[in-house]
Amino acid sequence: ADVEQVLEEGATTIMLRSLPSSTTTTSLMRMLGQPFVGSCDFLYLPRCTRQRHRIVEMAFINFVDHSFARLAVRLFREAATMIQSWSRTRVSQARVQGLAPNLAYFLLRFGEGAMLGPDAPLVFVNGVPASLQDQCAAQINEYAIRSAWLVIQEETQPRQRDMRSQRLPGDRAGVRDKVEPILVAPNLREDELLDLARRHEERFGFAIFRL
């Protein structure tokens, strides 16, 4: 298939499947090489939940620009034809697109504590490794949360359910509420804060704090 058939216009996140079991984040960055320096801002190599030493043979890479994603598709497809250990590897467009939605997906799916784990995604700013916590705080917005939440809902709910009946957090009879951040007063008591978060989560499905 042509690159145009793999990536939609504007897509920046690719998914690699059936990777060699020896693949590491370092080997992926090395394969991208000098032409891609500064082009990648997100790299996630998931590991098995029960056997942490093993990868699930998948990777998700986001690029700062669609043109770099196209070049990466060509690179990895060539690797699949030229390197024996990569012969089973396939590259496609990822369901979650963009840096912020990928960060939101990871945070919603695995929780805040996972950001400190050894298997957390790598993030970069202008090619320099950056703090995942700082990038989540700077990049995740309402659009990213909604995009990630929709994918998670589709992945976790039965396929046979009518997708039209699915509603994003904040939807009411097909009308979507605008999610407003919780403005936290400095003197708010802990019990008042917990009650505010609970009521906000009941309405929208999640809570956004602005301190």
Side-chain angles (χ1 to χ4, degrees):
D2 295 334
V3 175
E4 289 75 12
Q5 294 177 296
V6 175
L7 291 181
E8 298 176 356
E9 184 64 33
T12 59
T13 309
I14 65 172
M15 175 176 67
L16 300 172
R17 292 176 295 172
S18 301
L19 285 167
S21 58
S22 59
T23 302
T24 64
T25 53
T26 300
S27 66
L28 286 175
M29 294 300 293
R30 187 182 299 118
M31 179 168 286
L32 288 172
Q34 188 66 30
F36 288 88
V37 170
S39 68
C40 169
D41 55 16
F42 178 92
L43 172 58
Y44 181 39
L45 187 67
R47 292 191 174 274
C48 297
T49 55
R50 295 184 178 180
Q51 295 177 296
R52 306 307 300 176
H53 64 285
R54 297 184 57 187
I55 63 171
V56 297
E57 300 185 356
M58 298 175 65
F60 300 87
I61 309 175
N62 185 70
F63 297 90
V64 298
D65 185 84
H66 175 65
S67 60
F68 284 111
R70 288 168 55 91
L71 289 173
V73 168
R74 293 194 181 97
L75 173 70
F76 289 121
R77 290 175 65 185
E78 288 178 2
T81 62
M82 299 175 62
I83 304 175
Q84 178 61 34
S85 60
W86 279 67
S87 60
R88 295 174 50 248
T89 302
R90 298 294 179 266
V91 57
S92 61
Q93 177 174 311
R95 296 184 67 188
V96 181
Q97 286 291 314
L99 173 60
N102 272 288
L103 293 173
Y105 178 93
F106 180 81
L107 193 58
L108 290 172
R109 187 71 185 268
F110 302 107
E112 185 176 355
M115 290 195 297
L116 302 175
D119 304 328
L122 301 181
V123 290
F124 307 88
V125 176
N126 298 323
V128 178
S131 163
L132 179 59
Q133 296 95 319
D134 290 348
Q135 283 298 93
C136 284
Q139 299 290 340
I140 294 178
N141 52 26
E142 179 185 337
Y143 166 77
I145 293 173
R146 287 188 176 278
S147 299
W149 183 265
L150 179 59
V151 173
I152 291 173
Q153 290 292 90
E154 292 175 347
E155 289 176 345
T156 56
Q157 293 187 6
R159 294 293 183 184
Q160 54 266 49
R161 173 174 292 190
D162 185 358
M163 300 304 292
R164 292 174 300 179
S165 66
Q166 293 186 16
R167 295 187 292 175
L168 290 172
D171 288 358
R172 292 182 301 173
V175 178
R176 188 174 300 169
D177 289 339
K178 177 177 175 57
V179 179
E180 297 293 344
I182 300 176
L183 302 180
V184 180
N187 58 348
L188 196 66
R189 299 196 315 269
E190 182 179 355
D191 59 331
E192 294 175 325
L193 178 61
L194 291 175
D195 181 64
L196 184 61
R198 178 185 56 76
R199 287 188 281 109
H200 205 74
E201 186 172 6
E202 286 176 353
R203 181 179 180 188
F204 297 109
F206 49 82
I208 303 176
F209 289 88
R210 179 178 296 166
L211 303 177

